[in-house]
Amino acid sequence: DAKTTQPPSMDCAEGRAANLPCNHSTISGNEYVYWYRQIHSQGPQYIIHGLKNNETNEMASLIITEDRKSSTLILPHATLRDTAVYYCIVRVEGNAGNMLTFGGGTRLMVKP
Amino acid sequence: KAGVTQTPRYLIKTRGQQVTLSCSPISGHRSVSWYQQTPGQGLQFLFEYFSETQRNKGNFPGRFSGRQFSNSRSEMNVSTLELGDSALYLCASSYRVGSGELFFGEGSRLTVL
């Protein structure tokens, strides 16, 4: 799986959009971008994933650049409960299994 | 629908002992994987099971083992515990193999004294 690079920490004001970047410059054509988050003392939570098109669900939006070398997770109206570590993961889908390779992630602090 | 259930949530053992952790996946999920989380190494993949067969194994010593039962419930065992085995052990389930969309439990926090 391709390596990802994320800033170690970010702050965001409550109610504002949180934009979390991820660099995956070595991504290959069959690798998807996944985002998870982990709130303190809980298990990671799946947020969203995509291949090349932008994706949106009830939690967030995922913007993938046209060359697929980077992506941004957008939390449109961050709340205090969004304070967590956010992980960007790149992986191949299919029979390779369900293994996820977690990096260091970005610690997002939402402030009032 | 109930989530992934892990037991026990907290436990304390001493060096040299062994420990068994249990995971009940979401109903209908047949794939179960295990992860270890420590402050120093972060989240690391241990192993993955599907239909009672181990499909993948991470880079951990043989002291770490697991199994899956016919009802998809899984257990992992760590023998001859070392201080460095102190960690949060997380179980995740998925409805199919090859999916990156995993559902994690809240983990079992093991402290080795």
Side-chain angles (χ1 to χ4, degrees):
Chain A
D1 295 336
K3 182 177 165 54
T4 62
T5 303
Q6 299 178 253
S9 65
M10 290 181 62
D11 289 344
C12 177
E14 189 179 19
R16 305 297 294 269
N19 297 285
L20 294 99
C22 179
N23 181 285
H24 32 79
S25 58
T26 61
I27 193 170
S28 58
N30 61 347
E31 289 185 306
Y32 285 70
V33 179
Y34 276 79
W35 283 84
Y36 277 77
R37 73 179 182 183
Q38 187 174 24
I39 296 169
H40 183 62
S41 296
Q42 296 183 20
Q45 177 189 24
Y46 165 82
I47 300 174
I48 198 167
H49 75 282
L51 182 61
K52 52 185 176 182
N53 297 322
N54 298 338
E55 301 287 345
T56 296
N57 63 20
E58 65 278 3
M59 288 183 67
S61 294
L62 172 60
I63 308 298
I64 303 174
T65 58
E66 193 169 337
D67 63 6
R68 303 209 322 122
K69 293 185 177 183
S70 66
S71 60
T72 301
L73 179 74
I74 300 172
L75 308 178
H77 306 286
T79 70
L80 299 179
R81 287 177 293 182
D82 292 322
T83 292
V85 178
Y86 287 77
Y87 297 98
C88 170
I89 299 164
V90 170
R91 70 183 302 275
V92 175
E93 293 294 272
N95 292 331
N98 296 16
M99 183 178 78
L100 298 176
T101 302
F102 288 85
T106 296
R107 186 172 298 276
L108 175 69
M109 179 74 72
V110 180
K111 298 183 175 181
Chain B
K1 195 191 276 196
V4 177
T5 304
Q6 293 188 245
T7 58
R9 290 292 314 280
Y10 302 91
L11 66 166
I12 300 173
K13 294 284 187 178
T14 56
R15 278 182 300 174
Q17 287 187 311
Q18 66 94 25
V19 66
T20 299
L21 308 177
S22 179
C23 172
S24 293
I26 291 173
S27 178
H29 286 194
R30 295 167 61 194
S31 176
V32 173
S33 48
W34 289 87
Y35 290 79
Q36 181 198 63
Q37 186 171 28
T38 60
Q41 299 298 318
L43 272 156
Q44 292 187 287
F45 171 78
L46 280 158
F47 25 65
E48 174 191 351
Y49 288 87
F50 180 81
S51 292
E52 303 176 65
T53 301
Q54 187 178 88
R55 287 186 55 89
N56 287 303
K57 189 176 192 304
N59 189 24
F60 279 82
R63 300 185 296 108
F64 291 81
S65 63
R67 59 178 175 168
Q68 187 181 33
F69 302 95
S70 58
N71 62 357
S72 295
R73 191 177 70 84
S74 177
E75 289 182 348
M76 67 162 284
N77 183 278
V78 188
S79 62
T80 319
L81 284 166
E82 301 176 0
L83 295 179
D85 297 332
S86 294
L88 180 66
Y89 290 89
L90 291 156
C91 170
S93 75
S94 176
Y95 63 95
R96 65 178 176 89
V97 173
S99 169
E101 186 176 347
L102 306 186
F103 296 82
F104 282 83
E106 300 215 332
S108 294
R109 184 166 294 282
L110 169 65
T111 301
V112 181
L113 302 176

Coordinates of all heavy atoms in Angstrom, one line a residue, chain A residues 34 36 38 41-46 49 87 91-103, chain B residues 9 31 33 35 37 43 45 48 55-56 88 90 94 96-102 104-106 109:
Chain A
Y34 N -8.9 5.9 2.1 CA -9.8 5.7 3.2 C -9.5 6.8 4.3 O -8.3 7.1 4.5 CB -9.7 4.3 3.8 CG -10.5 3.3 3.1 CD1 -10.0 2.7 1.9 CD2 -11.7 2.9 3.6 CE1 -10.8 1.8 1.2 CE2 -12.4 1.9 3.0 CZ -12.0 1.3 1.8 OH -12.7 0.4 1.2
Y36 N -10.3 7.3 8.5 CA -10.9 6.9 9.7 C -10.6 7.9 10.8 O -9.7 8.8 10.6 CB -10.2 5.6 10.2 CG -10.8 4.3 9.6 CD1 -10.5 4.0 8.3 CD2 -11.6 3.5 10.3 CE1 -11.0 2.8 7.7 CE2 -12.1 2.3 9.8 CZ -11.8 2.0 8.5 OH -12.3 0.9 8.0
Q38 N -10.3 8.4 15.3 CA -10.3 7.7 16.5 C -10.4 8.8 17.6 O -9.5 9.6 17.9 CB -9.0 6.9 16.8 CG -9.0 6.1 18.0 CD -7.8 5.2 18.2 OE1 -6.8 5.4 17.6 NE2 -8.0 4.1 18.9
S41 N -9.7 7.0 23.5 CA -10.1 5.8 24.2 C -11.2 5.0 23.5 O -11.8 4.1 24.2 CB -10.5 6.1 25.6 OG -9.4 6.6 26.4
Q42 N -11.4 5.2 22.3 CA -12.4 4.5 21.5 C -11.7 3.8 20.3 O -10.6 4.1 20.0 CB -13.5 5.3 21.0 CG -14.4 6.0 22.1 CD -15.5 6.8 21.5 OE1 -15.9 6.6 20.4 NE2 -16.0 7.7 22.3
G43 N -12.4 2.8 19.7 CA -11.9 2.2 18.5 C -12.0 3.2 17.3 O -12.8 4.1 17.3
P44 N -11.2 3.0 16.3 CA -11.3 3.8 15.1 C -12.7 3.7 14.5 O -13.3 2.6 14.6 CB -10.2 3.3 14.2 CG -9.2 2.6 15.1 CD -10.0 2.1 16.2
Q45 N -13.1 4.8 13.8 CA -14.4 4.8 13.2 C -14.2 5.1 11.7 O -13.5 6.1 11.4 CB -15.3 5.9 13.9 CG -16.6 6.1 13.2 CD -17.3 7.3 13.8 OE1 -16.7 8.2 14.3 NE2 -18.7 7.3 13.7
Y46 N -14.8 4.3 10.8 CA -14.8 4.6 9.4 C -15.5 5.9 9.1 O -16.6 6.1 9.6 CB -15.4 3.4 8.6 CG -15.7 3.7 7.2 CD1 -14.8 3.7 6.2 CD2 -17.0 4.1 6.8 CE1 -15.1 3.9 4.9 CE2 -17.3 4.4 5.5 CZ -16.4 4.3 4.5 OH -16.7 4.6 3.2
H49 N -14.5 6.8 2.0 CA -13.5 6.4 1.1 C -13.8 6.7 -0.3 O -15.0 7.0 -0.7 CB -13.1 4.9 1.3 CG -14.1 4.0 0.6 ND1 -15.3 3.7 1.2 CD2 -14.0 3.3 -0.5 CE1 -16.0 2.8 0.4 NE2 -15.2 2.5 -0.6
Y87 N -7.1 9.5 10.5 CA -6.1 8.7 9.7 C -6.5 8.6 8.3 O -7.6 8.3 7.9 CB -6.0 7.3 10.3 CG -5.5 7.2 11.7 CD1 -6.5 7.0 12.7 CD2 -4.2 7.1 12.0 CE1 -6.0 6.9 14.0 CE2 -3.7 7.0 13.3 CZ -4.7 6.9 14.3 OH -4.2 6.7 15.6
R91 N -5.2 1.9 0.2 CA -5.2 0.5 0.2 C -5.8 0.0 -1.1 O -6.7 0.6 -1.7 CB -5.9 -0.1 1.4 CG -7.4 0.0 1.4 CD -8.0 -0.5 2.6 NE -7.7 -1.9 2.8 CZ -8.4 -2.9 2.3 NH1 -9.4 -2.7 1.5 NH2 -8.1 -4.2 2.5
V92 N -5.4 -1.2 -1.5 CA -6.0 -1.9 -2.6 C -7.3 -2.7 -2.2 O -7.2 -3.3 -1.1 CB -5.0 -2.9 -3.2 CG1 -5.7 -3.7 -4.4 CG2 -3.8 -2.2 -3.7
E93 N -8.3 -2.6 -2.9 CA -9.5 -3.4 -2.6 C -9.4 -4.8 -3.1 O -8.6 -5.1 -4.0 CB -10.8 -2.7 -3.2 CG -11.1 -1.4 -2.6 CD -11.5 -1.5 -1.1 OE1 -12.7 -1.6 -0.8 OE2 -10.6 -1.4 -0.2
G94 N -10.2 -5.7 -2.6 CA -10.3 -7.0 -3.2 C -9.8 -8.1 -2.2 O -9.8 -7.9 -1.0
N95 N -9.4 -9.2 -2.8 CA -9.1 -10.3 -2.1 C -7.8 -10.2 -1.2 O -7.4 -11.2 -0.6 CB -9.0 -11.5 -3.0 CG -10.3 -11.9 -3.6 OD1 -11.3 -11.7 -2.9 ND2 -10.3 -12.4 -4.8
A96 N -7.1 -9.1 -1.3 CA -5.9 -8.9 -0.4 C -6.3 -8.9 1.0 O -5.4 -8.9 1.9 CB -5.2 -7.6 -0.8
G97 N -7.5 -8.9 1.4 CA -7.9 -8.9 2.8 C -8.3 -7.5 3.3 O -8.4 -6.6 2.5
N98 N -8.6 -7.5 4.6 CA -9.1 -6.3 5.2 C -8.1 -5.5 5.9 O -8.4 -4.5 6.6 CB -10.3 -6.6 6.1 CG -11.4 -7.3 5.4 OD1 -11.3 -7.7 4.3 ND2 -12.6 -7.3 6.1
M99 N -6.8 -5.8 5.8 CA -5.8 -5.2 6.6 C -5.7 -3.7 6.3 O -5.7 -3.3 5.1 CB -4.4 -5.8 6.4 CG -3.3 -5.3 7.2 SD -1.8 -6.1 6.9 CE -1.3 -5.3 5.4
L100 N -5.6 -2.9 7.3 CA -5.4 -1.5 7.2 C -4.0 -1.1 7.8 O -3.6 -1.6 8.8 CB -6.4 -0.7 7.9 CG -7.9 -0.8 7.5 CD1 -8.8 0.0 8.4 CD2 -8.0 -0.3 6.0
T101 N -3.3 -0.3 7.1 CA -2.0 0.2 7.6 C -2.2 1.7 8.1 O -2.3 2.6 7.2 CB -0.9 0.1 6.5 OG1 -0.8 -1.2 6.0 CG2 0.4 0.6 7.1
F102 N -2.2 1.8 9.4 CA -2.4 3.2 9.9 C -1.0 3.9 10.1 O 0.0 3.3 10.5 CB -3.0 3.1 11.3 CG -4.4 2.6 11.3 CD1 -4.8 1.3 11.3 CD2 -5.4 3.6 11.4 CE1 -6.1 0.9 11.3 CE2 -6.8 3.2 11.4 CZ -7.1 1.8 11.3
G103 N -1.0 5.1 9.7 CA 0.2 6.0 10.0 C -0.1 6.7 11.3 O -0.8 6.3 12.2
Chain B
R9 N -12.8 -5.5 28.9 CA -12.4 -4.2 28.5 C -11.1 -3.8 29.2 O -10.3 -3.1 28.5 CB -13.5 -3.2 29.0 CG -14.8 -3.2 28.2 CD -14.6 -2.8 26.7 NE -13.9 -1.6 26.5 CZ -14.4 -0.4 26.7 NH1 -15.7 -0.2 27.1 NH2 -13.6 0.7 26.5
S31 N -15.7 -11.6 8.7 CA -14.3 -11.3 8.7 C -14.0 -10.5 10.0 O -14.6 -9.6 10.4 CB -13.9 -10.4 7.5 OG -12.6 -10.0 7.6
S33 N -10.6 -8.9 12.3 CA -9.2 -8.7 12.3 C -8.8 -8.0 13.7 O -9.7 -7.5 14.4 CB -8.7 -7.8 11.2 OG -9.6 -6.6 11.0
Y35 N -5.9 -5.7 16.0 CA -4.9 -4.6 15.9 C -4.4 -4.4 17.3 O -5.1 -4.5 18.3 CB -5.4 -3.3 15.4 CG -5.7 -3.4 13.9 CD1 -6.9 -4.0 13.4 CD2 -4.9 -2.9 12.9 CE1 -7.2 -4.1 12.1 CE2 -5.1 -3.0 11.6 CZ -6.3 -3.6 11.2 OH -6.6 -3.7 9.8
Q37 N -2.5 -1.4 19.6 CA -2.2 0.1 19.6 C -1.4 0.4 20.9 O -1.8 0.2 22.0 CB -3.5 0.9 19.6 CG -3.2 2.4 19.5 CD -4.5 3.2 19.2 OE1 -5.6 2.9 19.6 NE2 -4.3 4.3 18.5
L43 N -1.1 2.1 15.7 CA -2.0 1.0 15.4 C -1.3 0.0 14.5 O -0.9 0.4 13.4 CB -3.2 1.5 14.7 CG -4.4 1.9 15.7 CD1 -5.3 2.9 14.9 CD2 -5.2 0.7 16.1
F45 N -1.4 -3.9 12.7 CA -2.2 -5.1 12.3 C -1.6 -6.4 12.9 O -0.4 -6.6 12.8 CB -2.3 -5.2 10.8 CG -2.9 -6.5 10.3 CD1 -4.3 -6.6 10.3 CD2 -2.1 -7.5 9.8 CE1 -4.8 -7.8 9.8 CE2 -2.6 -8.6 9.3 CZ -4.0 -8.8 9.3
E48 N -5.9 -11.5 10.7 CA -7.2 -11.4 10.1 C -7.8 -12.8 9.9 O -7.0 -13.7 9.4 CB -7.2 -10.6 8.8 CG -8.5 -10.6 8.1 CD -8.4 -10.0 6.7 OE1 -7.3 -9.5 6.4 OE2 -9.4 -10.1 5.9
R55 N -6.2 -15.4 7.3 CA -5.9 -14.9 6.0 C -4.7 -14.1 5.9 O -3.9 -14.2 4.9 CB -7.1 -14.1 5.4 CG -8.3 -14.9 5.1 CD -9.3 -14.0 4.4 NE -8.8 -13.3 3.3 CZ -8.8 -13.8 2.0 NH1 -9.3 -15.0 1.8 NH2 -8.3 -13.1 1.0
N56 N -4.4 -13.3 6.9 CA -3.2 -12.5 6.9 C -2.7 -12.4 8.3 O -3.4 -12.6 9.3 CB -3.6 -11.0 6.5 CG -3.8 -10.9 5.0 OD1 -3.0 -11.3 4.2 ND2 -5.0 -10.4 4.7
L88 N -3.6 -1.4 23.9 CA -5.0 -1.5 23.6 C -5.1 -2.5 22.4 O -4.5 -2.2 21.4 CB -5.6 -0.1 23.2 CG -7.1 -0.1 22.9 CD1 -7.9 -0.4 24.2 CD2 -7.5 1.3 22.4
L90 N -7.5 -4.0 19.7 CA -8.7 -3.7 19.0 C -9.1 -4.8 18.0 O -8.3 -5.3 17.3 CB -8.5 -2.4 18.2 CG -8.4 -1.2 19.1 CD1 -7.7 0.0 18.4 CD2 -9.8 -0.7 19.6
S94 N -15.9 -7.0 9.5 CA -16.3 -6.6 8.2 C -17.2 -7.6 7.5 O -17.1 -8.8 7.8 CB -15.1 -6.3 7.3 OG -15.6 -5.9 6.0
R96 N -17.3 -8.5 4.4 CA -16.7 -9.2 3.3 C -15.2 -9.0 3.4 O -14.7 -8.1 3.9 CB -17.3 -8.7 2.0 CG -17.0 -7.3 1.6 CD -17.5 -6.9 0.3 NE -17.3 -5.5 -0.1 CZ -16.2 -5.1 -0.7 NH1 -15.2 -5.9 -1.0 NH2 -16.1 -3.8 -0.9
V97 N -14.6 -10.0 2.7 CA -13.1 -9.9 2.6 C -12.8 -8.9 1.5 O -13.5 -8.8 0.5 CB -12.6 -11.3 2.2 CG1 -11.1 -11.2 1.9 CG2 -12.8 -12.3 3.3
G98 N -11.7 -8.1 1.7 CA -11.3 -7.2 0.7 C -11.8 -5.8 0.9 O -11.5 -4.9 0.1
S99 N -12.7 -5.6 1.9 CA -13.3 -4.3 2.2 C -12.4 -3.5 3.2 O -11.9 -4.1 4.1 CB -14.7 -4.4 2.7 OG -15.1 -3.2 3.2
G100 N -12.2 -2.3 2.9 CA -11.5 -1.4 3.8 C -12.4 -0.8 4.8 O -11.9 0.0 5.7
E101 N -13.7 -1.1 4.8 CA -14.6 -0.5 5.7 C -14.8 -1.4 6.9 O -15.5 -2.4 6.8 CB -16.0 -0.2 5.0 CG -17.0 0.5 5.9 CD -18.3 0.9 5.2 OE1 -18.3 0.7 3.9 OE2 -19.2 1.3 5.9
L102 N -14.1 -1.1 7.9 CA -14.1 -2.0 9.1 C -14.9 -1.3 10.2 O -14.9 -0.1 10.3 CB -12.7 -2.3 9.6 CG -11.7 -2.9 8.5 CD1 -10.4 -3.2 9.2 CD2 -12.3 -4.1 7.8
F104 N -14.9 -1.2 14.2 CA -14.0 -1.5 15.4 C -14.8 -1.6 16.7 O -15.8 -0.8 16.9 CB -12.9 -0.5 15.5 CG -11.8 -0.6 14.6 CD1 -11.9 -0.1 13.3 CD2 -10.6 -1.3 14.9 CE1 -10.8 -0.2 12.4 CE2 -9.6 -1.4 14.0 CZ -9.7 -0.9 12.8
G105 N -14.3 -2.5 17.6 CA -14.8 -2.4 18.9 C -14.1 -1.4 19.7 O -13.2 -0.7 19.2
E106 N -14.4 -1.3 21.0 CA -13.8 -0.3 21.9 C -12.5 -0.8 22.4 O -11.8 0.0 23.0 CB -14.8 0.1 23.0 CG -16.0 0.7 22.4 CD -16.6 1.8 23.3 OE1 -16.4 1.8 24.5 OE2 -17.3 2.7 22.7
R109 N -8.0 -3.2 27.0 CA -6.8 -2.5 27.5 C -6.0 -3.5 28.4 O -6.5 -3.7 29.5 CB -7.0 -1.2 28.1 CG -5.7 -0.5 28.5 CD -6.0 1.0 28.8 NE -6.4 1.8 27.7 CZ -5.7 2.2 26.7 NH1 -4.4 2.0 26.7 NH2 -6.2 3.0 25.8

